[in-house]
Amino acid sequence: MATVTLKNVKKIYDNKVTAVHDFNLEIADKEFIVLVGPSGCGKSTTLRMVAGLEEISEGDLLIGDKRMNDVEPKDRDIAMVFQNYALYPHMTVYENMAFALKLRKLPKDEIDKKVREAAEILDITSYLDRKPKALSGGQRQRVAIGRAIVRNPQVFLMDEPLSNLDAKLRNQMRAEIIKLRQRIDTTFIYVTHDQTEAMTLGDRIVIMKDGYIQQIGTPQEVFEHP
Ligand code: ADP
Ligand code: ADP
Protein backbone atom coordinates (compact mmCIF):
# COMPACT_ATOMS: atom_id res chain seq x y z
CA MET A 1 0.00 0.00 0.00
CA ALA A 2 1.67 3.14 -1.18
CA THR A 3 -0.06 5.89 0.67
CA VAL A 4 2.14 8.98 0.87
CA THR A 5 1.82 11.27 3.87
CA LEU A 6 3.49 14.63 4.33
CA LYS A 7 3.16 15.96 7.89
CA ASN A 8 4.14 19.57 8.60
CA VAL A 9 6.87 19.31 5.97
CA LYS A 10 9.07 22.34 5.61
CA LYS A 11 12.05 23.18 3.41
CA ILE A 12 14.53 25.87 4.27
CA TYR A 13 17.41 26.08 1.79
CA ASP A 14 20.95 26.94 2.93
CA ASN A 15 20.46 30.51 1.79
CA LYS A 16 17.58 30.71 4.31
CA VAL A 17 14.90 30.74 1.60
CA THR A 18 11.86 28.90 2.96
CA ALA A 19 10.62 27.20 -0.20
CA VAL A 20 7.91 25.09 1.48
CA HIS A 21 6.04 25.98 4.69
CA ASP A 22 4.12 23.44 6.69
CA PHE A 23 2.96 21.14 3.90
CA ASN A 24 0.26 18.67 5.00
CA LEU A 25 -1.21 16.10 2.66
CA GLU A 26 -2.38 12.50 2.85
CA ILE A 27 -2.28 10.81 -0.53
CA ALA A 28 -4.30 7.62 -0.94
CA ASP A 29 -2.94 4.46 -2.52
CA LYS A 30 -3.08 4.82 -6.35
CA GLU A 31 -4.34 8.37 -6.15
CA PHE A 32 -3.24 10.87 -8.81
CA ILE A 33 -2.24 14.12 -7.11
CA VAL A 34 -1.29 17.22 -9.10
CA LEU A 35 0.69 20.05 -7.52
CA VAL A 36 -0.03 23.23 -9.45
CA GLY A 37 1.01 26.85 -9.12
CA PRO A 38 3.28 29.52 -10.60
CA SER A 39 7.04 29.15 -10.99
CA GLY A 40 8.84 29.41 -7.66
CA CYS A 41 5.88 28.35 -5.47
CA GLY A 42 7.65 25.24 -4.15
CA LYS A 43 6.27 22.43 -6.33
CA SER A 44 9.62 20.97 -7.42
CA THR A 45 11.06 21.28 -3.94
CA THR A 46 8.13 19.30 -2.54
CA LEU A 47 8.51 16.59 -5.18
CA ARG A 48 12.27 16.42 -4.67
CA MET A 49 11.76 15.93 -0.94
CA VAL A 50 9.47 12.98 -1.65
CA ALA A 51 12.12 11.55 -4.00
CA GLY A 52 14.85 12.09 -1.41
CA LEU A 53 16.78 14.43 -3.71
CA GLU A 54 16.33 17.26 -1.24
CA GLU A 55 16.57 16.98 2.53
CA ILE A 56 13.42 17.67 4.57
CA SER A 57 14.16 20.51 7.01
CA GLU A 58 11.24 19.81 9.35
CA GLY A 59 8.29 17.42 9.46
CA ASP A 60 7.77 13.85 8.32
CA LEU A 61 7.41 11.97 5.06
CA LEU A 62 5.74 8.57 5.28
CA ILE A 63 5.22 5.94 2.59
CA GLY A 64 2.69 3.49 3.94
CA ASP A 65 3.50 3.76 7.64
CA LYS A 66 7.27 3.89 7.17
CA ARG A 67 9.07 7.16 7.89
CA MET A 68 11.21 7.97 4.85
CA ASN A 69 13.05 11.18 5.83
CA ASP A 70 16.42 9.47 6.17
CA VAL A 71 16.04 6.76 3.52
CA GLU A 72 18.42 7.08 0.54
CA PRO A 73 16.75 7.85 -2.82
CA LYS A 74 17.88 4.49 -4.25
CA ASP A 75 16.19 2.68 -1.36
CA ARG A 76 12.85 4.44 -1.91
CA ASP A 77 10.44 2.58 -4.12
CA ILE A 78 9.96 5.69 -6.22
CA ALA A 79 10.54 6.60 -9.86
CA MET A 80 10.79 10.14 -11.18
CA VAL A 81 10.45 11.66 -14.63
CA PHE A 82 11.90 15.09 -15.35
CA GLN A 83 11.06 17.85 -17.81
CA ASN A 84 14.38 17.43 -19.63
CA TYR A 85 14.03 13.60 -19.87
CA ALA A 86 17.51 12.96 -18.39
CA LEU A 87 18.17 9.91 -20.58
CA TYR A 88 21.65 8.42 -20.79
CA PRO A 89 22.86 9.71 -24.20
CA HIS A 90 25.39 6.94 -24.92
CA MET A 91 22.85 4.15 -24.33
CA THR A 92 20.12 2.89 -26.64
CA VAL A 93 16.47 3.15 -25.64
CA TYR A 94 16.58 -0.51 -24.57
CA GLU A 95 19.71 0.02 -22.47
CA ASN A 96 18.22 3.15 -20.90
CA MET A 97 15.16 1.19 -19.86
CA ALA A 98 17.12 -1.86 -18.69
CA PHE A 99 19.75 0.03 -16.72
CA ALA A 100 18.07 0.22 -13.31
CA LEU A 101 17.08 -3.45 -13.56
CA LYS A 102 20.64 -4.49 -14.41
CA LEU A 103 21.84 -2.63 -11.32
CA ARG A 104 19.41 -4.73 -9.33
CA LYS A 105 20.92 -7.83 -10.88
CA LEU A 106 17.65 -9.15 -12.26
CA PRO A 107 17.99 -12.12 -14.62
CA LYS A 108 18.38 -11.14 -18.26
CA ASP A 109 15.14 -12.73 -19.47
CA GLU A 110 13.19 -11.00 -16.72
CA ILE A 111 14.74 -7.65 -17.67
CA ASP A 112 13.86 -8.31 -21.29
CA LYS A 113 10.25 -9.10 -20.41
CA LYS A 114 9.82 -5.94 -18.32
CA VAL A 115 11.46 -3.69 -20.92
CA ARG A 116 9.32 -5.08 -23.73
CA GLU A 117 6.12 -4.80 -21.69
CA ALA A 118 6.83 -1.17 -20.84
CA ALA A 119 7.85 -0.44 -24.44
CA GLU A 120 4.57 -1.90 -25.63
CA ILE A 121 2.53 0.21 -23.20
CA LEU A 122 4.33 3.35 -24.41
CA ASP A 123 4.41 2.36 -28.05
CA ILE A 124 8.19 2.67 -28.36
CA THR A 125 9.00 -0.90 -29.39
CA SER A 126 10.06 0.13 -32.88
CA TYR A 127 12.91 2.30 -31.67
CA LEU A 128 14.40 0.25 -28.85
CA ASP A 129 17.75 0.18 -30.70
CA ARG A 130 18.02 3.92 -31.25
CA LYS A 131 19.99 6.39 -29.17
CA PRO A 132 18.11 9.31 -27.57
CA LYS A 133 19.57 11.85 -30.01
CA ALA A 134 17.78 10.07 -32.86
CA LEU A 135 14.38 10.62 -31.18
CA SER A 136 11.91 13.50 -31.09
CA GLY A 137 11.05 15.22 -27.82
CA GLY A 138 7.81 13.29 -27.48
CA GLN A 139 9.57 9.98 -28.13
CA ARG A 140 12.25 10.82 -25.58
CA GLN A 141 9.62 11.56 -22.98
CA ARG A 142 7.96 8.19 -23.66
CA VAL A 143 11.31 6.51 -23.12
CA ALA A 144 11.81 8.41 -19.87
CA ILE A 145 8.39 7.24 -18.68
CA GLY A 146 9.15 3.70 -19.86
CA ARG A 147 12.42 3.70 -17.98
CA ALA A 148 10.55 4.72 -14.85
CA ILE A 149 7.74 2.15 -15.07
CA VAL A 150 9.93 -0.93 -15.71
CA ARG A 151 10.77 -0.73 -12.02
CA ASN A 152 7.10 -1.04 -10.95
CA PRO A 153 7.55 1.84 -8.55
CA GLN A 154 5.05 2.23 -5.71
CA VAL A 155 5.17 5.97 -6.23
CA PHE A 156 5.63 7.74 -9.55
CA LEU A 157 6.77 11.38 -9.53
CA MET A 158 6.59 13.60 -12.61
CA ASP A 159 8.04 17.11 -12.69
CA GLU A 160 6.61 19.17 -15.59
CA PRO A 161 6.97 16.17 -17.92
CA LEU A 162 5.16 17.82 -20.83
CA SER A 163 6.50 21.36 -20.62
CA ASN A 164 9.12 20.92 -23.33
CA LEU A 165 6.61 19.57 -25.86
CA ASP A 166 4.58 21.57 -28.36
CA ALA A 167 0.83 21.97 -27.80
CA LYS A 168 -0.23 19.08 -30.06
CA LEU A 169 2.18 16.59 -28.53
CA ARG A 170 1.29 17.82 -25.07
CA ASN A 171 -2.37 16.94 -25.64
CA GLN A 172 -1.41 13.56 -27.02
CA MET A 173 0.91 12.76 -24.12
CA ARG A 174 -1.69 13.91 -21.61
CA ALA A 175 -4.04 11.28 -23.03
CA GLU A 176 -1.19 8.73 -22.86
CA ILE A 177 -0.65 9.46 -19.20
CA ILE A 178 -4.34 8.87 -18.50
CA LYS A 179 -4.06 5.49 -20.28
CA LEU A 180 -0.84 4.66 -18.48
CA ARG A 181 -2.50 5.33 -15.19
CA GLN A 182 -5.14 2.71 -15.93
CA ARG A 183 -2.47 0.12 -16.69
CA ILE A 184 -0.12 0.48 -13.74
CA ASP A 185 -0.86 0.30 -10.01
CA THR A 186 1.01 3.31 -8.78
CA THR A 187 0.45 6.41 -6.70
CA PHE A 188 1.19 9.52 -8.80
CA ILE A 189 2.42 12.94 -7.80
CA TYR A 190 2.56 15.23 -10.81
CA VAL A 191 3.91 18.79 -10.90
CA THR A 192 2.78 21.35 -13.46
CA HIS A 193 2.08 25.05 -13.87
CA ASP A 194 -0.58 24.17 -16.47
CA GLN A 195 -4.17 24.30 -15.22
CA THR A 196 -5.54 22.15 -18.05
CA GLU A 197 -3.10 19.39 -17.19
CA ALA A 198 -4.03 19.67 -13.54
CA MET A 199 -7.77 19.54 -14.25
CA THR A 200 -7.61 16.62 -16.68
CA LEU A 201 -5.14 14.43 -14.78
CA GLY A 202 -5.70 14.97 -11.08
CA ASP A 203 -7.99 13.03 -8.76
CA ARG A 204 -7.14 15.90 -6.45
CA ILE A 205 -5.33 19.12 -7.13
CA VAL A 206 -3.09 20.91 -4.64
CA ILE A 207 -2.79 24.60 -5.46
CA MET A 208 0.40 26.15 -4.11
CA LYS A 209 1.45 29.76 -3.75
CA ASP A 210 4.61 31.20 -2.21
CA GLY A 211 5.44 27.88 -0.54
CA TYR A 212 1.99 27.43 1.02
CA ILE A 213 -0.91 25.17 0.09
CA GLN A 214 -3.76 27.45 -0.94
CA GLN A 215 -6.38 24.84 -1.73
CA ILE A 216 -6.79 21.07 -2.01
CA GLY A 217 -9.72 19.52 -3.86
CA THR A 218 -11.07 17.51 -6.75
CA PRO A 219 -11.04 19.29 -10.13
CA GLN A 220 -14.77 20.05 -9.65
CA GLU A 221 -14.22 21.52 -6.19
CA VAL A 222 -11.27 23.61 -7.29
CA PHE A 223 -13.01 24.69 -10.50
CA GLU A 224 -16.32 25.62 -8.84
CA HIS A 225 -14.86 27.31 -5.77
CA PRO A 226 -11.60 28.90 -6.89
P1 ADP B 1 11.52 25.60 -11.87
O1 ADP B 1 11.22 25.12 -13.25
O2 ADP B 1 11.16 24.62 -10.80
O3 ADP B 1 11.02 26.99 -11.59
P2 ADP B 1 14.09 26.82 -11.64
O4 ADP B 1 14.47 27.30 -13.01
O5 ADP B 1 13.60 27.75 -10.60
O6 ADP B 1 13.10 25.60 -11.81
O7 ADP B 1 15.33 26.04 -11.00
C1 ADP B 1 16.18 25.20 -11.76
C2 ADP B 1 17.18 24.57 -10.80
O8 ADP B 1 17.86 25.55 -10.03
C3 ADP B 1 16.54 23.64 -9.79
O9 ADP B 1 17.37 22.51 -9.60
C4 ADP B 1 16.45 24.44 -8.52
O10 ADP B 1 16.53 23.61 -7.37
C5 ADP B 1 17.65 25.35 -8.63
N1 ADP B 1 17.38 26.66 -8.04
C6 ADP B 1 16.28 27.42 -8.20
N2 ADP B 1 16.35 28.54 -7.50
C7 ADP B 1 17.57 28.52 -6.89
C8 ADP B 1 18.25 29.40 -6.02
N3 ADP B 1 17.68 30.53 -5.62
N4 ADP B 1 19.47 29.05 -5.58
C9 ADP B 1 20.01 27.90 -5.97
N5 ADP B 1 19.42 27.01 -6.80
C10 ADP B 1 18.22 27.32 -7.24
P1 ADP C 1 8.55 25.58 -8.44
O1 ADP C 1 8.87 24.16 -8.70
O2 ADP C 1 7.14 25.80 -8.00
O3 ADP C 1 8.93 26.46 -9.59
P2 ADP C 1 10.78 25.51 -6.62
O4 ADP C 1 10.48 24.44 -5.65
O5 ADP C 1 11.74 25.21 -7.73
O6 ADP C 1 9.42 26.07 -7.20
O7 ADP C 1 11.33 26.77 -5.85
C1 ADP C 1 10.70 27.29 -4.67
C2 ADP C 1 11.57 28.40 -4.10
O8 ADP C 1 12.79 27.85 -3.62
C3 ADP C 1 11.97 29.47 -5.11
O9 ADP C 1 12.03 30.69 -4.41
C4 ADP C 1 13.35 29.03 -5.55
O10 ADP C 1 14.14 30.11 -5.99
C5 ADP C 1 13.90 28.44 -4.27
N1 ADP C 1 14.89 27.37 -4.54
C6 ADP C 1 14.71 26.27 -5.30
N2 ADP C 1 15.81 25.51 -5.28
C7 ADP C 1 16.70 26.14 -4.49
C8 ADP C 1 18.03 25.85 -4.09
N3 ADP C 1 18.67 24.73 -4.48
N4 ADP C 1 18.64 26.72 -3.25
C9 ADP C 1 18.00 27.83 -2.83
N5 ADP C 1 16.76 28.16 -3.17
C10 ADP C 1 16.11 27.33 -4.00
Side-chain angles (χ1 to χ4, degrees):
M1 275 279 286
T3 56
V4 179
T5 309
L6 294 106
K7 274 191 198 159
N8 305 318
V9 166
K10 190 170 185 175
K11 177 66 187 183
I12 308 167
Y13 281 109
D14 295 340
N15 59 1
K16 309 280 183 259
V17 169
T18 302
V20 177
H21 305 257
D22 214 26
F23 193 102
N24 282 291
L25 182 65
E26 286 183 35
I27 304 174
D29 186 39
K30 300 182 187 45
E31 193 174 16
F32 199 120
I33 286 284
V34 179
L35 306 182
V36 70
S39 183
C41 72
K43 306 181 296 293
S44 287
T45 299
T46 303
L47 205 66
R48 292 167 61 83
M49 287 191 286
V50 176
L53 302 174
E54 218 47 91
E55 210 175 305
I56 294 172
S57 308
E58 287 176 28
D60 293 310
L61 168 70
L62 303 152
I63 295 183
D65 49 16
K66 189 171 188 298
R67 188 173 182 271
M68 300 301 287
N69 292 49
D70 304 318
V71 175
E72 292 282 317
K74 68 173 173 53
D75 297 325
R76 299 184 186 200
D77 194 358
I78 287 178
M80 184 154 169
V81 167
F82 301 88
Q83 179 177 356
N84 62 5
Y85 323 127
L87 298 173
Y88 307 114
H90 57 289
M91 295 183 194
T92 64
V93 168
Y94 187 100
E95 289 162 348
N96 264 281
M97 290 172 70
F99 186 67
L101 303 177
K102 276 188 192 156
L103 285 185
R104 291 184 183 181
K105 308 221 185 313
L106 257 65
K108 238 188 172 139
D109 53 344
E110 200 172 316
I111 293 178
D112 195 65
K113 184 164 171 278
K114 285 178 185 286
V115 168
R116 287 180 192 282
E117 264 174 25
E120 189 258 313
I121 290 175
L122 288 152
D123 202 14
I124 53 178
T125 305
S126 59
Y127 37 90
L128 282 174
D129 295 329
R130 290 198 210 161
K131 296 246 172 95
K133 68 174 188 308
L135 303 175
S136 70
Q139 292 170 334
R140 285 179 203 187
Q141 193 54 290
R142 284 167 192 269
V143 176
I145 294 171
R147 185 179 59 177
I149 67 170
V150 290
R151 296 168 45 200
N152 295 328
Q154 282 195 307
V155 182
F156 194 176
L157 309 178
M158 303 177 101
D159 194 354
E160 302 267 5
L162 309 186
S163 297
N164 280 347
L165 306 176
D166 64 36
K168 185 165 166 244
L169 258 180
R170 209 155 50 226
N171 289 338
Q172 194 185 326
M173 284 301 291
R174 212 165 56 218
E176 295 281 332
I177 290 170
I178 292 169
K179 267 204 281 176
L180 175 69
R181 197 232 160 138
Q182 291 157 356
R183 294 197 59 173
I184 62 174
D185 282 336
T186 300
T187 304
F188 284 83
I189 312 177
Y190 185 103
V191 161
T192 183
H193 61 269
D194 184 304
Q195 284 206 356
T196 311
E197 269 172 44
M199 293 292 182
T200 49
L201 293 172
D203 294 328
R204 282 190 299 158
I205 298 171
V206 178
I207 301 180
M208 294 183 71
K209 192 183 176 196
D210 300 332
Y212 290 93
I213 294 180
Q214 270 204 317
Q215 201 182 351
I216 303 177
T218 63
Q220 287 77 6
E221 286 164 350
V222 167
F223 188 63
E224 285 163 19
H225 308 285

